[in-house]
Amino acid sequence: MSTSQGRTGPLGLPEWDRCAVMGVVNVTPDSFSDGGQWFDPELAVKHGLDLVAQGADLVDVGGESTRPGAVRVDEAEELRRVIPVVRELAAAGVLVSVDTMRAGVAERAVTAGAALVNDVSGGLADPAMIPVVAAAGVPFVVMHWRGQSIDMNNRAVYADVLGEVVAELRAGLDRAVAGGVAPERIVIDPGLGFAKTAEHDLTLLAHLRSLRVLGCPLLVAASRKRFLGRVLAADTGGGPPPARERDAATAAVSAIAAREGAWAVRVHEVRASADAVRVARAIESAAMTRTAGTAPAGTGTAQ
Ligand code: PMM
């Protein structure tokens, strides 16, 4: 089903009549946003269920931090963190996405019940990823990425951030399709904070509609990111608030992303974004109603 704004999700997932909310479960000791809180698998599962109760449509489970400067964990450790959590959440009926750059983790996670593969490298980090996703026939998130987190900040150099991100996403999309992933299963993501400064992130958010030229559902993952800290600090004159104090700012981005036609927002704190996307849907419906000619008399619209 396509919504009034033409927002259609990837083939293989349910369709919502609004922007979907993807809740984040990081089974890591060191994520910038919630590091360590859900490192225990039982707590991680409980947290995933709580996010669904708060309004998450799907839950993204990751076992490797991608914060700037992060050092990679090995595959065995990533599997140990992620697979039991994916399995339990999927068994409980939760729609699960796996956040991984490794084909082996993606493959095992899909077998354990994951319905979507979210690869921040868009298939660049592991040459086996695209063939695995193609064979599994699941939706695939292609994020804009310029290299591993350890030194990604050095790659935040653009003459035209919007044009370059669109071109590089198009290349990622073409790579995935050439590797056998069905185009209707691909979701794109501008990769806020990945090889980007706060100014780059804000420019991309200001032009979300331009990303839709690629013709794919759009995922926006602004939650608790550095650029929000920078925006909030600029007004108070103090330092940036800690990541966990950026949820209201995150919900503001969720409302805007939804209004701009994003397919989904990826957030750590779900309740406020679940409300935000519902308000955006209500406004979208009101805009459609007026377009359809039921505006009050005197506005120049058909009566
Ligand atoms: N950001 C993080 C992790 N996974 N996945 C997608 N698709 N897009 C993102 O921007 C993204 C991601 C950063 O770490 P976090 O889990 O603490 O937000």
Side-chain angles (χ1 to χ4, degrees):
M1 178 183 57
S2 174
T3 67
S4 52
Q5 287 207 338
R7 180 194 298 115
T8 305
L11 185 66
L13 291 186
E15 292 281 351
W16 294 278
D17 67 345
R18 53 169 168 74
C19 177
V21 178
M22 177 188 278
V24 179
V25 175
N26 283 322
V27 196
T28 57
D30 59 342
S31 284
F32 79 96
S33 48
D34 55 0
Q37 267 190 295
W38 325 112
F39 192 40
D40 175 272
E42 262 180 55
L43 289 181
V45 171
K46 182 178 177 314
H47 184 54
L49 296 172
D50 286 347
L51 293 181
V52 171
Q54 287 156 21
D57 299 296
L58 59 170
V59 170
D60 192 36
V61 178
E64 182 173 42
S65 170
T66 49
R67 72 184 153 71
V71 175
R72 300 206 65 188
V73 294
D74 65 33
E75 180 159 348
E77 174 62 10
E78 193 184 344
L79 284 167
R80 195 193 64 74
R81 293 178 184 181
V82 163
I83 301 303
V85 178
V86 170
R87 185 178 298 116
E88 280 217 38
L89 285 174
V94 175
L95 195 55
V96 179
S97 146
V98 61
D99 185 345
T100 184
M101 288 184 269
R102 287 197 171 97
V105 176
E107 192 166 35
R108 293 271 300 276
V110 170
T111 304
L116 178 148
V117 174
N118 172 26
D119 178 358
V120 297
S121 82
L124 285 171
D126 183 343
M129 179 62 94
I130 288 174
V132 158
V133 171
V138 291
F140 184 47
V141 177
V142 172
M143 197 192 83
H144 178 262
W145 187 83
R146 285 188 161 181
Q148 296 290 351
S149 300
I150 186 84
D151 59 356
M152 67 179 171
N153 286 345
N154 301 336
R155 300 192 177 89
V157 180
Y158 302 84
D160 162 18
V161 66
L162 182 61
E164 288 168 56
V165 167
V166 168
E168 290 166 35
L169 276 174
R170 193 186 300 279
L173 184 58
D174 291 347
R175 240 186 351 263
V177 173
V181 180
E184 313 80 55
R185 293 197 198 277
I186 298 176
V187 173
I188 55 158
D189 177 335
L192 300 173
F194 286 81
K196 291 166 197 86
T197 63
E199 289 70 28
H200 296 142
D201 290 336
L202 290 166
T203 301
L204 290 166
L205 284 172
H207 296 280
L208 282 180
R209 265 171 210 270
S210 304
L211 296 174
R212 292 176 59 200
V213 298
L214 295 172
C216 294
L218 174 66
L219 174 64
V220 175
S223 190
R224 298 182 176 174
K225 286 195 173 161
R226 276 171 305 163
F227 79 96
L228 294 175
R230 280 275 303 278
V231 167
L232 299 174
D235 266 14
T236 60
R244 279 175 215 153
E245 289 171 25
R246 300 176 195 164
D247 289 331
T250 299
V253 178
S254 294
I256 291 167
R259 189 75 181 104
E260 294 299 305
W263 163 69
V265 289
R266 178 184 178 279
V267 296
H268 301 87
E269 195 281 316
V270 161
R271 202 180 297 271
S273 285
D275 287 353
V277 299
R278 283 167 175 79
V279 172
R281 173 182 56 189
I283 294 171
E284 194 175 307
S285 302
M288 292 305 292
T289 307
R290 185 176 190 282
T291 311
T294 54
T299 58
T301 319
Q303 310 274 310

